Amino acid sequence: MVLLRKEPKSEPTEKWEAQLRKGCLELAILACLWEQRLYGLEILRALEQNSNLVLAEGTVYPILARLKEDGLLQSEWVEADAGHPRKYYWLTAQGRQRVVSMALFWNGFSANLNLLLKPVLNGKGRA
Amino acid sequence: MNFMTSHPMIESYFDALATQLADLPAAKRDEVIRELRAHVADRLEQIAVPTTDDCRSVLAAMGTPVEIARQYRLELVLSRSAWKISPWSLLRTLFRWTLTGIQGYVIFIVAMIGYTVGMCLYVTALLKPLFPHNVGFFWSEQGVNLAHFPDPPLGTEMLGPYYIPFAVFFGFLWTLGTTLTIRYIIRRFGKLKQKVAGMAVSA
């Protein structure tokens, strides 16, 4: 997975980005599973297409394990017609409730933050 | 499982991961490894004729076994019961290492001594009410003696009936200390194995 960077970033910025990614990853994984059952690599592909949240592929699986422990996901090994079995994940009723409340919070949170960032992005008040 | 998914580089990667996850119950550890192996197989299946370089880049994209194990620890920290604390499980893990060389053998012996001392303290606590004159904290010039049969040990008994809570407390402390030490060594030893695996990957 390639993370494109337009310019070199300072260490504190990288740390902040890493924390932000980590915080958002759980919501992104739950959102990927909203419409269908997916196995690990399919979840990664969905994340790759729609975000740059994942830096190391292997780190998605521990989060899936925890979400399952928390009762938000359920999983099952499914034999493939060709190839090897794959572990599919889907949202439980509790997981669906959680992702809705997280999405609502995110919506309000990001809208407010975007308002706050508007002058910064428009270049106003530049020192 | 084709030639590439059983490539020595992949095998050493998952061996290192298994070692890193040594304190996870066997069933959970096997499940984790099975899932990550399926991921690697999926990635390699996307390549028409995977080479050793492809194996290397697929594993590099996964992250190191140390990092993955660290993530599992962080994520599963709320369900700590998932992590082994049972002396029996730890000893079984260590026993497997005794077969890998002198280092594993020494750690196993140290663990055995630690648990034996802990167990002796528990056993003497149980025996104290039955044999109050033979069991206790006997202090003499030769040192400390906890029990002797049929004659009482040399020296003076220092604790009397307080020996029971003393032995239970220190038995627990000794067992816990041994367990935590072994878990620490498992992680350190695991990192060592990871280094070896890393050398195999970069070779």
Side-chain angles (χ1 to χ4, degrees), chain B residues 26-90:
Chain B
K28 276 200 180 245
R29 187 175 59 238
D30 292 347
E31 177 86 2
V32 167
I33 288 174
R34 188 182 176 201
E35 187 173 23
L36 295 181
R37 271 188 183 277
H39 174 98
V40 170
D42 274 329
R43 279 291 191 210
L44 289 172
E45 273 172 20
Q46 292 171 343
I47 305 162
V49 186
T51 62
T52 301
D53 280 345
D54 293 321
C55 274
R56 190 176 290 122
S57 59
V58 164
L59 293 177
M62 288 276 284
T64 66
V66 172
E67 176 58 20
I68 293 174
R70 197 180 68 86
Q71 287 291 332
Y72 270 102
R73 264 189 202 94
L74 279 175
E75 295 297 339
L76 297 178
V77 76
L78 293 176
S79 54
R80 279 200 178 273
S81 60
W83 298 93
K84 274 185 202 167
I85 192 98
S86 144
W88 176 240
S89 317
L90 287 172

Short mmCIF file of all heavy atoms in Angstrom, two decimals, chain B residues 26-90:
data_model
loop_
_atom_site.label_atom_id
_atom_site.label_comp_id
_atom_site.label_asym_id
_atom_site.label_seq_id
_atom_site.Cartn_x
_atom_site.Cartn_y
_atom_site.Cartn_z
N ALA B 26 -3.60 -21.22 22.47
CA ALA B 26 -3.22 -21.88 21.21
C ALA B 26 -4.31 -21.73 20.14
O ALA B 26 -4.01 -21.45 18.97
CB ALA B 26 -2.92 -23.34 21.48
N ALA B 27 -5.59 -21.90 20.53
CA ALA B 27 -6.68 -21.86 19.54
C ALA B 27 -6.74 -20.47 18.87
O ALA B 27 -6.88 -20.37 17.65
CB ALA B 27 -8.00 -22.19 20.21
N LYS B 28 -6.61 -19.44 19.70
CA LYS B 28 -6.66 -18.07 19.16
C LYS B 28 -5.46 -17.78 18.28
O LYS B 28 -5.57 -17.17 17.23
CB LYS B 28 -6.72 -17.05 20.31
CG LYS B 28 -8.12 -16.85 20.82
CD LYS B 28 -8.23 -15.54 21.56
CE LYS B 28 -9.65 -15.37 22.05
NZ LYS B 28 -10.34 -14.28 21.47
N ARG B 29 -4.30 -18.25 18.74
CA ARG B 29 -3.07 -18.01 17.97
C ARG B 29 -3.17 -18.69 16.60
O ARG B 29 -2.86 -18.10 15.58
CB ARG B 29 -1.87 -18.55 18.76
CG ARG B 29 -0.54 -18.21 18.12
CD ARG B 29 0.62 -18.66 18.98
NE ARG B 29 0.59 -20.09 19.24
CZ ARG B 29 0.54 -20.63 20.44
NH1 ARG B 29 0.49 -19.87 21.50
NH2 ARG B 29 0.53 -21.94 20.59
N ASP B 30 -3.66 -19.93 16.59
CA ASP B 30 -3.80 -20.66 15.33
C ASP B 30 -4.75 -19.94 14.39
O ASP B 30 -4.55 -19.88 13.18
CB ASP B 30 -4.29 -22.09 15.59
CG ASP B 30 -3.23 -22.91 16.32
OD1 ASP B 30 -2.08 -22.45 16.39
OD2 ASP B 30 -3.58 -24.00 16.83
N GLU B 31 -5.83 -19.40 14.98
CA GLU B 31 -6.83 -18.67 14.19
C GLU B 31 -6.21 -17.43 13.54
O GLU B 31 -6.41 -17.16 12.36
CB GLU B 31 -7.98 -18.27 15.13
CG GLU B 31 -9.08 -17.44 14.50
CD GLU B 31 -10.15 -18.28 13.83
OE1 GLU B 31 -10.05 -19.52 13.89
OE2 GLU B 31 -11.05 -17.68 13.23
N VAL B 32 -5.42 -16.68 14.34
CA VAL B 32 -4.76 -15.48 13.83
C VAL B 32 -3.83 -15.85 12.67
O VAL B 32 -3.86 -15.23 11.60
CB VAL B 32 -3.94 -14.79 14.97
CG1 VAL B 32 -2.99 -13.75 14.41
CG2 VAL B 32 -4.88 -14.17 15.99
N ILE B 33 -3.04 -16.89 12.88
CA ILE B 33 -2.06 -17.26 11.86
C ILE B 33 -2.75 -17.79 10.61
O ILE B 33 -2.37 -17.45 9.49
CB ILE B 33 -1.06 -18.28 12.46
CG1 ILE B 33 -0.15 -17.50 13.43
CG2 ILE B 33 -0.22 -18.95 11.38
CD1 ILE B 33 0.80 -18.32 14.21
N ARG B 34 -3.84 -18.53 10.81
CA ARG B 34 -4.58 -19.05 9.66
C ARG B 34 -5.13 -17.90 8.81
O ARG B 34 -5.05 -17.92 7.58
CB ARG B 34 -5.75 -19.91 10.18
CG ARG B 34 -6.46 -20.65 9.08
CD ARG B 34 -7.63 -21.44 9.65
NE ARG B 34 -8.38 -22.08 8.59
CZ ARG B 34 -9.63 -22.49 8.70
NH1 ARG B 34 -10.27 -22.33 9.84
NH2 ARG B 34 -10.24 -23.05 7.70
N GLU B 35 -5.65 -16.88 9.50
CA GLU B 35 -6.24 -15.74 8.78
C GLU B 35 -5.16 -14.95 8.03
O GLU B 35 -5.36 -14.56 6.88
CB GLU B 35 -6.97 -14.83 9.77
CG GLU B 35 -7.74 -13.73 9.08
CD GLU B 35 -8.60 -12.92 10.03
OE1 GLU B 35 -8.31 -12.89 11.23
OE2 GLU B 35 -9.57 -12.32 9.54
N LEU B 36 -4.02 -14.72 8.69
CA LEU B 36 -2.96 -13.94 8.04
C LEU B 36 -2.31 -14.74 6.91
O LEU B 36 -1.90 -14.17 5.90
CB LEU B 36 -1.92 -13.48 9.07
CG LEU B 36 -2.45 -12.50 10.12
CD1 LEU B 36 -1.36 -12.09 11.08
CD2 LEU B 36 -3.03 -11.26 9.48
N ARG B 37 -2.25 -16.07 7.07
CA ARG B 37 -1.75 -16.91 5.97
C ARG B 37 -2.68 -16.81 4.76
O ARG B 37 -2.22 -16.76 3.62
CB ARG B 37 -1.67 -18.37 6.43
CG ARG B 37 -0.36 -18.74 7.08
CD ARG B 37 -0.32 -20.24 7.31
NE ARG B 37 0.88 -20.66 7.98
CZ ARG B 37 2.04 -20.88 7.39
NH1 ARG B 37 2.15 -20.73 6.08
NH2 ARG B 37 3.08 -21.26 8.08
N ALA B 38 -3.99 -16.80 5.04
CA ALA B 38 -4.98 -16.68 3.95
C ALA B 38 -4.77 -15.35 3.23
O ALA B 38 -4.85 -15.29 2.00
CB ALA B 38 -6.39 -16.78 4.51
N HIS B 39 -4.46 -14.31 4.00
CA HIS B 39 -4.21 -12.98 3.41
C HIS B 39 -3.00 -13.03 2.47
O HIS B 39 -3.05 -12.54 1.35
CB HIS B 39 -3.99 -11.96 4.53
CG HIS B 39 -3.59 -10.61 4.05
ND1 HIS B 39 -4.50 -9.59 3.90
CD2 HIS B 39 -2.38 -10.12 3.65
CE1 HIS B 39 -3.86 -8.52 3.43
NE2 HIS B 39 -2.58 -8.82 3.29
N VAL B 40 -1.92 -13.63 2.97
CA VAL B 40 -0.69 -13.73 2.16
C VAL B 40 -0.97 -14.54 0.89
O VAL B 40 -0.56 -14.16 -0.22
CB VAL B 40 0.45 -14.36 2.99
CG1 VAL B 40 1.64 -14.71 2.12
CG2 VAL B 40 0.88 -13.41 4.10
N ALA B 41 -1.70 -15.65 1.05
CA ALA B 41 -2.03 -16.50 -0.11
C ALA B 41 -2.85 -15.70 -1.12
O ALA B 41 -2.61 -15.77 -2.33
CB ALA B 41 -2.80 -17.73 0.36
N ASP B 42 -3.81 -14.91 -0.62
CA ASP B 42 -4.64 -14.07 -1.51
C ASP B 42 -3.78 -13.09 -2.29
O ASP B 42 -3.96 -12.92 -3.50
CB ASP B 42 -5.68 -13.29 -0.70
CG ASP B 42 -6.94 -14.10 -0.46
OD1 ASP B 42 -7.27 -14.92 -1.33
OD2 ASP B 42 -7.58 -13.90 0.59
N ARG B 43 -2.88 -12.43 -1.58
CA ARG B 43 -2.01 -11.45 -2.23
C ARG B 43 -1.14 -12.13 -3.31
O ARG B 43 -0.95 -11.59 -4.40
CB ARG B 43 -1.10 -10.77 -1.20
CG ARG B 43 -1.77 -9.65 -0.42
CD ARG B 43 -2.04 -8.46 -1.31
NE ARG B 43 -2.45 -7.28 -0.57
CZ ARG B 43 -3.27 -6.34 -1.04
NH1 ARG B 43 -3.78 -6.45 -2.26
NH2 ARG B 43 -3.58 -5.29 -0.32
N LEU B 44 -0.62 -13.31 -2.99
CA LEU B 44 0.27 -13.99 -3.95
C LEU B 44 -0.52 -14.53 -5.14
O LEU B 44 0.00 -14.61 -6.25
CB LEU B 44 1.06 -15.10 -3.25
CG LEU B 44 2.15 -14.62 -2.29
CD1 LEU B 44 2.74 -15.78 -1.51
CD2 LEU B 44 3.25 -13.87 -3.03
N GLU B 45 -1.78 -14.89 -4.89
CA GLU B 45 -2.61 -15.41 -5.99
C GLU B 45 -2.89 -14.34 -7.05
O GLU B 45 -3.20 -14.66 -8.19
CB GLU B 45 -3.95 -15.93 -5.43
CG GLU B 45 -3.86 -17.39 -4.98
CD GLU B 45 -5.11 -17.85 -4.25
OE1 GLU B 45 -6.16 -17.19 -4.41
OE2 GLU B 45 -5.02 -18.84 -3.52
N GLN B 46 -2.79 -13.07 -6.63
CA GLN B 46 -3.03 -11.99 -7.59
C GLN B 46 -1.88 -11.86 -8.60
O GLN B 46 -2.01 -11.20 -9.61
CB GLN B 46 -3.18 -10.65 -6.85
CG GLN B 46 -4.42 -10.58 -6.00
CD GLN B 46 -4.41 -9.34 -5.10
OE1 GLN B 46 -3.39 -8.71 -4.88
NE2 GLN B 46 -5.58 -8.99 -4.61
N ILE B 47 -0.76 -12.47 -8.26
CA ILE B 47 0.43 -12.37 -9.13
C ILE B 47 0.52 -13.67 -9.93
O ILE B 47 0.43 -14.76 -9.36
CB ILE B 47 1.70 -12.19 -8.27
CG1 ILE B 47 1.53 -10.96 -7.36
CG2 ILE B 47 2.93 -12.03 -9.14
CD1 ILE B 47 2.50 -10.93 -6.19
N ALA B 48 0.67 -13.52 -11.26
CA ALA B 48 0.66 -14.70 -12.13
C ALA B 48 1.73 -15.71 -11.72
O ALA B 48 1.43 -16.87 -11.43
CB ALA B 48 0.85 -14.26 -13.58
N VAL B 49 2.97 -15.26 -11.70
CA VAL B 49 4.06 -16.16 -11.28
C VAL B 49 4.84 -15.45 -10.18
O VAL B 49 5.78 -14.70 -10.44
CB VAL B 49 5.00 -16.49 -12.48
CG1 VAL B 49 6.04 -17.52 -12.06
CG2 VAL B 49 4.22 -16.96 -13.68
N PRO B 50 4.44 -15.65 -8.91
CA PRO B 50 5.11 -14.92 -7.83
C PRO B 50 6.57 -15.36 -7.65
O PRO B 50 6.88 -16.54 -7.77
CB PRO B 50 4.28 -15.26 -6.59
CG PRO B 50 3.45 -16.44 -6.95
CD PRO B 50 3.37 -16.53 -8.43
N THR B 51 7.41 -14.39 -7.41
CA THR B 51 8.83 -14.67 -7.18
C THR B 51 9.15 -14.45 -5.70
O THR B 51 8.29 -14.02 -4.94
CB THR B 51 9.69 -13.69 -8.00
OG1 THR B 51 9.40 -12.37 -7.52
CG2 THR B 51 9.39 -13.77 -9.48
N THR B 52 10.40 -14.72 -5.35
CA THR B 52 10.83 -14.50 -3.96
C THR B 52 10.69 -13.02 -3.59
O THR B 52 10.32 -12.68 -2.47
CB THR B 52 12.29 -14.96 -3.79
OG1 THR B 52 12.34 -16.36 -4.13
CG2 THR B 52 12.78 -14.78 -2.37
N ASP B 53 10.97 -12.14 -4.57
CA ASP B 53 10.81 -10.70 -4.31
C ASP B 53 9.36 -10.35 -4.01
O ASP B 53 9.08 -9.49 -3.16
CB ASP B 53 11.29 -9.88 -5.53
CG ASP B 53 12.80 -9.76 -5.54
OD1 ASP B 53 13.41 -10.05 -4.49
OD2 ASP B 53 13.35 -9.41 -6.60
N ASP B 54 8.42 -11.01 -4.72
CA ASP B 54 7.00 -10.76 -4.45
C ASP B 54 6.64 -11.19 -3.03
O ASP B 54 5.92 -10.50 -2.33
CB ASP B 54 6.12 -11.53 -5.45
CG ASP B 54 6.29 -10.98 -6.87
OD1 ASP B 54 6.41 -9.75 -6.99
OD2 ASP B 54 6.32 -11.79 -7.81
N CYS B 55 7.18 -12.35 -2.62
CA CYS B 55 6.96 -12.82 -1.24
C CYS B 55 7.42 -11.77 -0.26
O CYS B 55 6.72 -11.44 0.70
CB CYS B 55 7.78 -14.08 -0.97
SG CYS B 55 6.99 -15.58 -1.44
N ARG B 56 8.63 -11.25 -0.53
CA ARG B 56 9.22 -10.27 0.38
C ARG B 56 8.34 -9.02 0.47
O ARG B 56 8.08 -8.52 1.56
CB ARG B 56 10.62 -9.91 -0.10
CG ARG B 56 11.42 -9.07 0.89
CD ARG B 56 12.83 -8.82 0.42
NE ARG B 56 13.64 -10.03 0.46
CZ ARG B 56 14.27 -10.56 -0.58
NH1 ARG B 56 14.19 -9.97 -1.75
NH2 ARG B 56 14.99 -11.65 -0.45
N SER B 57 7.84 -8.56 -0.70
CA SER B 57 7.06 -7.31 -0.65
C SER B 57 5.68 -7.54 -0.03
O SER B 57 5.17 -6.66 0.67
CB SER B 57 6.95 -6.68 -2.04
OG SER B 57 6.35 -7.57 -2.92
N VAL B 58 5.10 -8.74 -0.23
CA VAL B 58 3.81 -9.04 0.40
C VAL B 58 3.96 -9.05 1.93
O VAL B 58 3.15 -8.48 2.65
CB VAL B 58 3.24 -10.40 -0.12
CG1 VAL B 58 2.14 -10.92 0.78
CG2 VAL B 58 2.73 -10.24 -1.54
N LEU B 59 5.06 -9.66 2.39
CA LEU B 59 5.30 -9.72 3.85
C LEU B 59 5.62 -8.34 4.40
O LEU B 59 5.18 -7.99 5.50
CB LEU B 59 6.42 -10.70 4.17
CG LEU B 59 6.13 -12.17 3.88
CD1 LEU B 59 7.35 -13.03 4.17
CD2 LEU B 59 4.94 -12.68 4.67
N ALA B 60 6.36 -7.55 3.61
CA ALA B 60 6.71 -6.20 4.07
C ALA B 60 5.45 -5.35 4.21
O ALA B 60 5.32 -4.57 5.15
CB ALA B 60 7.69 -5.56 3.10
N ALA B 61 4.50 -5.53 3.28
CA ALA B 61 3.25 -4.76 3.33
C ALA B 61 2.41 -5.15 4.56
O ALA B 61 1.63 -4.34 5.08
CB ALA B 61 2.44 -4.98 2.07
N MET B 62 2.59 -6.39 5.02
CA MET B 62 1.85 -6.85 6.21
C MET B 62 2.30 -6.13 7.47
O MET B 62 1.52 -5.93 8.39
CB MET B 62 2.11 -8.34 6.42
CG MET B 62 1.44 -9.23 5.42
SD MET B 62 -0.23 -9.55 5.89
CE MET B 62 0.02 -10.73 7.19
N GLY B 63 3.59 -5.78 7.52
CA GLY B 63 4.17 -5.27 8.78
C GLY B 63 4.96 -6.40 9.43
O GLY B 63 4.76 -7.57 9.09
N THR B 64 5.83 -6.05 10.35
CA THR B 64 6.67 -7.08 10.98
C THR B 64 5.85 -7.90 11.99
O THR B 64 4.86 -7.39 12.53
CB THR B 64 7.86 -6.45 11.74
OG1 THR B 64 7.31 -5.71 12.84
CG2 THR B 64 8.66 -5.52 10.87
N PRO B 65 6.25 -9.16 12.25
CA PRO B 65 5.55 -9.96 13.27
C PRO B 65 5.50 -9.26 14.63
O PRO B 65 4.51 -9.34 15.33
CB PRO B 65 6.38 -11.24 13.35
CG PRO B 65 7.02 -11.35 12.01
CD PRO B 65 7.29 -9.94 11.57
N VAL B 66 6.58 -8.54 14.97
CA VAL B 66 6.61 -7.82 16.25
C VAL B 66 5.51 -6.77 16.27
O VAL B 66 4.77 -6.65 17.26
CB VAL B 66 8.00 -7.15 16.46
CG1 VAL B 66 8.00 -6.24 17.67
CG2 VAL B 66 9.08 -8.21 16.60
N GLU B 67 5.38 -6.03 15.17
CA GLU B 67 4.37 -4.96 15.10
C GLU B 67 2.95 -5.56 15.14
O GLU B 67 2.08 -5.05 15.85
CB GLU B 67 4.60 -4.16 13.80
CG GLU B 67 3.57 -3.07 13.53
CD GLU B 67 3.46 -2.02 14.64
OE1 GLU B 67 4.40 -1.88 15.45
OE2 GLU B 67 2.41 -1.38 14.70
N ILE B 68 2.73 -6.63 14.40
CA ILE B 68 1.39 -7.25 14.37
C ILE B 68 1.03 -7.77 15.77
O ILE B 68 -0.08 -7.54 16.26
CB ILE B 68 1.32 -8.36 13.31
CG1 ILE B 68 1.44 -7.73 11.91
CG2 ILE B 68 0.02 -9.15 13.42
CD1 ILE B 68 1.52 -8.73 10.79
N ALA B 69 1.99 -8.46 16.41
CA ALA B 69 1.73 -8.98 17.76
C ALA B 69 1.46 -7.84 18.73
O ALA B 69 0.58 -7.94 19.59
CB ALA B 69 2.92 -9.82 18.22
N ARG B 70 2.19 -6.74 18.56
CA ARG B 70 1.99 -5.57 19.43
C ARG B 70 0.57 -5.02 19.25
O ARG B 70 -0.11 -4.68 20.22
CB ARG B 70 3.02 -4.49 19.09
CG ARG B 70 3.20 -3.42 20.15
CD ARG B 70 4.24 -2.40 19.71
NE ARG B 70 3.75 -1.61 18.58
CZ ARG B 70 3.01 -0.51 18.71
NH1 ARG B 70 2.70 -0.06 19.90
NH2 ARG B 70 2.61 0.15 17.65
N GLN B 71 0.14 -5.01 17.99
CA GLN B 71 -1.22 -4.52 17.71
C GLN B 71 -2.27 -5.43 18.36
O GLN B 71 -3.26 -4.95 18.91
CB GLN B 71 -1.47 -4.46 16.20
CG GLN B 71 -0.75 -3.34 15.49
CD GLN B 71 -1.33 -1.97 15.86
OE1 GLN B 71 -2.49 -1.85 16.18
NE2 GLN B 71 -0.49 -0.96 15.82
N TYR B 72 -2.05 -6.74 18.26
CA TYR B 72 -3.00 -7.67 18.89
C TYR B 72 -3.05 -7.44 20.39
O TYR B 72 -4.11 -7.46 20.99
CB TYR B 72 -2.63 -9.13 18.59
CG TYR B 72 -3.28 -9.64 17.32
CD1 TYR B 72 -2.57 -9.74 16.14
CD2 TYR B 72 -4.63 -9.99 17.29
CE1 TYR B 72 -3.16 -10.18 14.97
CE2 TYR B 72 -5.23 -10.43 16.14
CZ TYR B 72 -4.49 -10.52 14.98
OH TYR B 72 -5.10 -10.95 13.83
N ARG B 73 -1.88 -7.21 20.97
CA ARG B 73 -1.83 -6.95 22.42
C ARG B 73 -2.61 -5.69 22.77
O ARG B 73 -3.37 -5.65 23.71
CB ARG B 73 -0.38 -6.79 22.88
CG ARG B 73 0.12 -8.06 23.40
CD ARG B 73 1.45 -7.99 24.07
NE ARG B 73 1.91 -9.35 23.99
CZ ARG B 73 2.67 -9.82 23.04
NH1 ARG B 73 3.13 -9.03 22.11
NH2 ARG B 73 2.99 -11.09 23.01
N LEU B 74 -2.37 -4.63 21.96
CA LEU B 74 -3.05 -3.36 22.23
C LEU B 74 -4.56 -3.51 22.07
O LEU B 74 -5.34 -3.04 22.89
CB LEU B 74 -2.57 -2.30 21.23
CG LEU B 74 -1.24 -1.62 21.53
CD1 LEU B 74 -0.85 -0.70 20.38
CD2 LEU B 74 -1.35 -0.80 22.80
N GLU B 75 -4.96 -4.16 21.00
CA GLU B 75 -6.39 -4.25 20.69
C GLU B 75 -7.13 -5.17 21.66
O GLU B 75 -8.28 -4.93 21.98
CB GLU B 75 -6.60 -4.73 19.25
CG GLU B 75 -6.09 -3.77 18.18
CD GLU B 75 -6.81 -2.43 18.17
OE1 GLU B 75 -7.94 -2.35 18.70
OE2 GLU B 75 -6.24 -1.46 17.66
N LEU B 76 -6.45 -6.23 22.07
CA LEU B 76 -7.13 -7.20 22.93
C LEU B 76 -6.85 -6.95 24.40
O LEU B 76 -7.12 -7.79 25.25
CB LEU B 76 -6.72 -8.63 22.55
CG LEU B 76 -7.13 -9.03 21.14
CD1 LEU B 76 -6.65 -10.44 20.84
CD2 LEU B 76 -8.63 -8.96 20.93
N VAL B 77 -6.35 -5.73 24.70
CA VAL B 77 -5.98 -5.43 26.08
C VAL B 77 -7.20 -5.45 27.00
O VAL B 77 -7.11 -5.77 28.18
CB VAL B 77 -5.22 -4.08 26.15
CG1 VAL B 77 -6.14 -2.89 26.03
CG2 VAL B 77 -4.42 -3.98 27.42
N LEU B 78 -8.38 -5.17 26.43
CA LEU B 78 -9.60 -5.16 27.24
C LEU B 78 -10.04 -6.57 27.61
O LEU B 78 -10.70 -6.77 28.61
CB LEU B 78 -10.72 -4.45 26.49
CG LEU B 78 -10.51 -2.95 26.29
CD1 LEU B 78 -11.62 -2.36 25.45
CD2 LEU B 78 -10.44 -2.23 27.63
N SER B 79 -9.70 -7.52 26.77
CA SER B 79 -10.06 -8.90 27.10
C SER B 79 -8.79 -9.65 27.48
O SER B 79 -8.32 -10.51 26.79
CB SER B 79 -10.74 -9.58 25.92
OG SER B 79 -9.92 -9.48 24.79
N ARG B 80 -8.24 -9.24 28.61
CA ARG B 80 -6.96 -9.79 29.04
C ARG B 80 -7.01 -11.30 29.29
O ARG B 80 -5.98 -11.96 29.26
CB ARG B 80 -6.48 -9.09 30.32
CG ARG B 80 -5.82 -7.77 30.02
CD ARG B 80 -4.94 -7.35 31.17
NE ARG B 80 -4.27 -6.11 30.85
CZ ARG B 80 -3.12 -6.04 30.21
NH1 ARG B 80 -2.53 -7.13 29.82
NH2 ARG B 80 -2.57 -4.89 29.95
N SER B 81 -8.22 -11.80 29.50
CA SER B 81 -8.32 -13.25 29.73
C SER B 81 -7.82 -14.03 28.54
O SER B 81 -7.50 -15.20 28.63
CB SER B 81 -9.77 -13.62 30.02
OG SER B 81 -10.56 -13.26 28.92
N ALA B 82 -7.77 -13.34 27.39
CA ALA B 82 -7.29 -14.02 26.18
C ALA B 82 -5.80 -14.35 26.28
O ALA B 82 -5.31 -15.19 25.55
CB ALA B 82 -7.52 -13.14 24.96
N TRP B 83 -5.11 -13.65 27.18
CA TRP B 83 -3.67 -13.87 27.26
C TRP B 83 -3.34 -14.84 28.38
O TRP B 83 -3.89 -14.78 29.45
CB TRP B 83 -2.96 -12.53 27.47
CG TRP B 83 -3.23 -11.64 26.33
CD1 TRP B 83 -4.24 -10.73 26.22
CD2 TRP B 83 -2.55 -11.63 25.08
NE1 TRP B 83 -4.20 -10.15 24.99
CE2 TRP B 83 -3.18 -10.67 24.27
CE3 TRP B 83 -1.45 -12.32 24.57
CZ2 TRP B 83 -2.75 -10.39 22.97
CZ3 TRP B 83 -1.03 -12.05 23.29
CH2 TRP B 83 -1.68 -11.09 22.50
N LYS B 84 -2.41 -15.70 28.08
CA LYS B 84 -2.06 -16.76 29.02
C LYS B 84 -1.42 -16.23 30.30
O LYS B 84 -0.54 -15.41 30.26
CB LYS B 84 -1.02 -17.66 28.36
CG LYS B 84 -1.58 -18.73 27.51
CD LYS B 84 -0.42 -19.56 27.07
CE LYS B 84 -0.75 -20.33 25.83
NZ LYS B 84 0.46 -20.88 25.24
N ILE B 85 -1.87 -16.77 31.41
CA ILE B 85 -1.19 -16.50 32.67
C ILE B 85 -1.01 -17.85 33.39
O ILE B 85 -0.35 -17.95 34.39
CB ILE B 85 -2.00 -15.48 33.53
CG1 ILE B 85 -1.19 -14.96 34.72
CG2 ILE B 85 -3.33 -16.04 34.00
CD1 ILE B 85 -0.56 -13.64 34.45
N SER B 86 -1.58 -18.91 32.78
CA SER B 86 -1.51 -20.22 33.40
C SER B 86 -0.09 -20.77 33.37
O SER B 86 0.51 -20.89 32.30
CB SER B 86 -2.46 -21.17 32.67
OG SER B 86 -1.91 -22.44 32.61
N PRO B 87 0.47 -21.11 34.55
CA PRO B 87 1.82 -21.66 34.58
C PRO B 87 1.96 -22.90 33.69
O PRO B 87 2.97 -23.08 33.02
CB PRO B 87 2.02 -22.03 36.05
CG PRO B 87 1.09 -21.15 36.80
CD PRO B 87 -0.09 -20.95 35.89
N TRP B 88 0.92 -23.71 33.65
CA TRP B 88 0.97 -24.94 32.85
C TRP B 88 1.18 -24.61 31.38
O TRP B 88 2.04 -25.20 30.71
CB TRP B 88 -0.32 -25.74 33.07
CG TRP B 88 -0.42 -26.97 32.23
CD1 TRP B 88 -1.38 -27.26 31.31
CD2 TRP B 88 0.48 -28.10 32.22
NE1 TRP B 88 -1.15 -28.48 30.72
CE2 TRP B 88 -0.01 -29.02 31.26
CE3 TRP B 88 1.66 -28.41 32.90
CZ2 TRP B 88 0.62 -30.23 30.98
CZ3 TRP B 88 2.30 -29.62 32.61
CH2 TRP B 88 1.77 -30.50 31.67
N SER B 89 0.40 -23.63 30.84
CA SER B 89 0.53 -23.26 29.43
C SER B 89 1.90 -22.67 29.15
O SER B 89 2.53 -22.98 28.14
CB SER B 89 -0.51 -22.22 29.04
OG SER B 89 -1.74 -22.56 29.58
N LEU B 90 2.36 -21.83 30.10
CA LEU B 90 3.68 -21.21 29.89
C LEU B 90 4.78 -22.27 29.89
O LEU B 90 5.68 -22.23 29.07
CB LEU B 90 3.95 -20.18 31.00
CG LEU B 90 3.13 -18.89 30.88
CD1 LEU B 90 3.33 -18.03 32.11
CD2 LEU B 90 3.52 -18.09 29.65
#
